[in-house]
Amino acid sequence: FEYTYEAYCNLYGTPVRTEVIEYVRDLAKAGKSDFVLSACPGFDLRTELTYELAPIASSLKNNTYWKGVELRDVYHKEALSIITTAFAENRVITRVSFVNTQCEIPESFGQALVSNRFNKIHILDLSGNKFTLKSVEALVTAFQQMNHCIQVINFNKVNLNNPGFRAMIKSWNINFGFSLGIEELNISNNDVGSSTNDFISWVSNVKKYSKLRRLAISNTGMQVGSIILELSGLKFLTYLDLSDAKFEEVIQTNLVYFCESIETLETILLSNTQLDISMYT
């Protein structure tokens, strides 16, 4: 990796950062295969990166050592746009985590996954960033055409709206195998309340064969009471986050039935729901 990195630095006319080279060597020596960009020495977490991402992104294109790429809690608005070039060609990266970078998720990210039919991404965490209409459309197209599943999807607080969420659900219904492979799904803190029926329909379609283990739909505005009746058919669900949801009395009864019907359920979060907890003790 380091020789390729040095070559791309020379190509782009950027300095070869010794701290990047040393960081890569330390990771390889420790047997770690996740390239955590925000842990690399040489920049302040409160500001922009002080080393150039373009040579690193280009070096990742055909690199077979790194299995994960992560950038977390760094205010770098162009980070994902730069790293996107790697996803268009890399065939071994399985984990992508860009969390709280304050960036708009670029359209080119979804386009890269569409063009690279052999991408191996199984964990996708874009929480704390912002979807645009075009970026959602591009990612939806990628979901619809993927020949493998993404097992973990974290879209917590990504500015996802009802049209975007409906389009996403539609792509999951079209690519049914993709849907069945989702094991963890987080769409919390997005205003998608009008998409309740679409979400219920999707759950109804997949519940018989779904591998879904963890689901977080807190603070979405969706009608939770109707959803939980369908969720009761999920055989492997262990974790459910319904925080900040509003429950009517009849819906509380539905929740009791739900809790009793799923033997695998270990954790259910109900904070800020104004529920009478005595009903569940």
Side-chain angles (χ1 to χ4, degrees):
F1 175 86
E2 61 184 88
Y3 299 118
T4 306
Y5 168 70
E6 291 173 356
Y8 275 112
C9 283
N10 292 330
L11 177 64
Y12 296 143
T14 60
V16 176
R17 302 289 186 179
T18 56
E19 57 267 40
V20 173
I21 298 294
E22 292 173 358
Y23 175 64
V24 167
R25 289 175 178 174
D26 288 342
L27 289 177
K29 185 177 180 179
K32 296 180 178 179
S33 58
D34 281 353
F35 200 130
V36 184
L37 297 166
S38 44
C40 182
F43 69 91
D44 189 332
L45 294 178
R46 297 167 297 179
T47 62
E48 299 285 316
L49 297 175
T50 56
Y51 62 82
E52 295 75 19
L53 281 175
I56 293 177
S58 296
S59 301
L60 287 172
K61 287 181 180 179
N62 300 301
N63 186 269
T64 58
Y65 177 76
W66 305 110
K67 299 299 188 294
V69 178
E70 179 178 320
L71 186 65
R72 184 180 297 270
D73 300 323
V74 176
Y75 301 132
H76 193 288
K77 296 182 178 180
E78 303 302 323
L80 192 52
S81 296
I82 297 171
I83 295 296
T84 290
T85 56
F87 303 138
E89 298 184 33
N90 188 280
R91 299 184 178 187
V92 298
I93 291 176
T94 61
R95 301 177 294 275
V96 176
S97 299
F98 284 82
V99 182
N100 296 329
T101 63
Q102 307 298 314
C103 72
E104 287 189 350
I105 301 166
E107 180 183 8
S108 57
F109 177 66
Q111 292 173 337
L113 300 186
V114 170
S115 64
N116 182 7
R117 296 183 60 239
F118 299 100
N119 80 80
K120 290 296 186 292
I121 296 175
H122 291 284
I123 298 176
L124 180 59
D125 186 351
L126 300 177
S127 56
N129 302 300
K130 297 179 180 180
F131 272 120
T132 64
L133 177 59
K134 289 186 176 181
S135 62
V136 170
E137 290 175 346
L139 192 57
V140 161
T141 301
F143 286 162
Q144 186 171 320
Q145 298 180 7
M146 276 189 181
N147 54 16
H148 73 280
C149 64
I150 297 183
Q151 296 162 312
V152 179
I153 299 176
N154 188 349
F155 289 163
N156 176 32
K157 200 175 182 180
V158 292
N159 197 39
L160 187 63
N161 58 21
N162 285 296
F165 189 44
R166 288 193 189 103
M168 196 169 291
I169 292 173
K170 183 178 180 180
S171 72
W172 296 346
N173 281 322
I174 291 173
N175 192 346
F176 196 64
F178 181 94
S179 287
L180 297 181
I182 298 175
E183 296 183 16
E184 300 184 22
L185 176 63
N186 188 341
I187 55 169
S188 297
N189 299 302
N190 294 291
D191 186 10
V192 293
S194 298
S195 304
T196 300
N197 290 336
D198 301 85
F199 186 71
I200 290 174
S201 177
W202 174 71
V203 173
S204 178
N205 289 338
V206 302
K207 64 182 180 181
K208 187 175 181 179
Y209 303 104
S210 174
K211 296 180 180 179
L212 191 64
R213 297 182 296 106
R214 297 174 63 91
L215 176 64
I217 53 175
S218 65
N219 193 32
T220 58
M222 290 198 292
Q223 300 171 15
V224 174
S226 302
I227 292 173
I228 58 177
L229 290 178
E230 292 297 337
L231 294 180
S232 61
L234 295 171
K235 300 178 182 179
F236 303 104
L237 193 66
T238 62
Y239 174 96
L240 179 62
D241 186 358
L242 300 177
S243 303
D244 296 292
K246 304 301 180 183
F247 290 84
E248 298 174 356
E249 185 174 352
V250 63
I251 295 176
Q252 293 187 30
T253 304
N254 292 348
L255 185 58
V256 172
Y257 168 77
F258 166 76
C259 293
E260 293 175 344
S261 64
I262 298 188
E263 297 179 356
T264 57
L265 190 65
E266 298 174 355
T267 303
I268 181 169
L269 302 183
L270 299 169
S271 60
N272 299 321
T273 57
Q274 300 178 352
L275 283 174
D276 181 6
I277 302 300
S278 63
M279 293 181 61
Y280 312 101
T281 59

